Structure formats: structure tokens, C-alpha cells
Amino acid sequence: MKKLLALLCVGVLTILGFSAISSASASPHYTNTVTYSGQGLNSDGTLQDNRCADGVAPYLLFVLTANKATAADITLPSGTFAMVQSGNGSFKYQAAYQDPSALIGVAVASYNGVKTNAQFVISHGCPGTLTSSSPSPSAS
């Protein structure tokens, strides 16, 4: 009976350990956070600045501006990623295109530095080209 109880405890602790590891990998790395609230989108959820060119893979470019920050990351539904510094307190991350309106309240940037008036926006992107699979009309 003691062996069974010990085995169950080990199993529960193992599951809890994996949960803690999974949660930690998806959480922001820095104390200060700002949640994406739709900046850079039109009222219909489309990009305000659509920059598509031939051969460009669909993408979204996120920009974080945070006073005196020297490091930042971004958490999206696909995981947490380091942002690249592109100036004093400015960071960028280019993500694969996804419905930007679905990222409102979901995407989070975290950063070190001063917690005052950080801005987290989608600067621009390219949704790609949509192809229609509708059959061509037939002559009647």
C-alpha cells in the first residue's frame, strides 16, 4: 500500500512539474507588460498599413516602445519570443500572419525599464493573397 501511495505521489508531482514548465515557457520574461489592444487596425479588423510585395510571405510586424527598456519579448498564441531592439526603448518582432483582430487582448509584450506609457502596436503587415476555390460559372 505504501508503494502504491508513493508511486501515485511521484506521478502527481511529475504532472505538476510538467505543468509548471509549460506555464513558465509561455509567460512573459519581464516584469512590465502591455497587452495588445488593436492599435494599427481599422475598425473592421484589417491592417491600417498593408505592405505586400511579390514574394513576401504573409506577416505582422509588432512594435513596442517602452521608456528606458533594454530588453523585451512578445507572447503570442504560438509562444513567447525575444523582440529585437531597434532603437532606444524600441523593439520589433515579425510574426507569421494571423488574424490580427484575434490578437486583441491576447498578444502581450513584456519588457524591463520604466513602467510608463508603453505602446504596443502592429506597425504593418501583409495578409497574403487569398485564393478563391469557387467553381467558375457555367453557361446555361
Side-chain angles (χ1 to χ4, degrees):
M1 185 65 163
K2 287 183 181 181
K3 286 183 181 181
L4 179 60
L5 183 57
L7 185 58
L8 286 173
C9 286
V10 168
V12 168
L13 291 175
T14 301
I15 291 169
L16 290 175
F18 283 125
S19 295
I21 290 169
S22 297
S23 298
S25 66
S27 64
H29 294 117
Y30 303 103
T31 306
N32 302 319
T33 62
V34 58
T35 302
Y36 180 64
S37 60
Q39 298 90 332
L41 301 182
N42 296 312
S43 60
D44 65 355
T46 59
L47 294 172
Q48 287 178 353
D49 190 351
N50 188 339
R51 296 188 192 177
C52 291
D54 289 339
V56 173
Y59 72 96
L60 294 173
L61 183 69
F62 288 88
V63 175
L64 169 70
T65 306
N67 192 20
K68 298 185 181 180
T70 59
D73 62 24
I74 183 171
T75 300
L76 299 168
S78 56
T80 299
F81 310 94
M83 296 185 83
V84 176
Q85 190 164 11
S86 64
N88 189 16
S90 181
F91 299 85
K92 295 180 179 180
Y93 182 77
Q94 185 171 309
Y97 187 84
Q98 51 207 289
D99 179 1
S101 63
L103 298 172
I104 296 172
V106 175
V108 176
S110 66
Y111 59 95
N112 64 6
V114 180
K115 185 178 178 77
T116 56
N117 300 327
Q119 299 296 312
F120 184 40
V121 305
I122 292 178
S123 169
H124 59 276
C126 175
T129 56
L130 299 175
T131 56
S132 174
S133 60
S134 306
S136 55
S138 59
S140 316

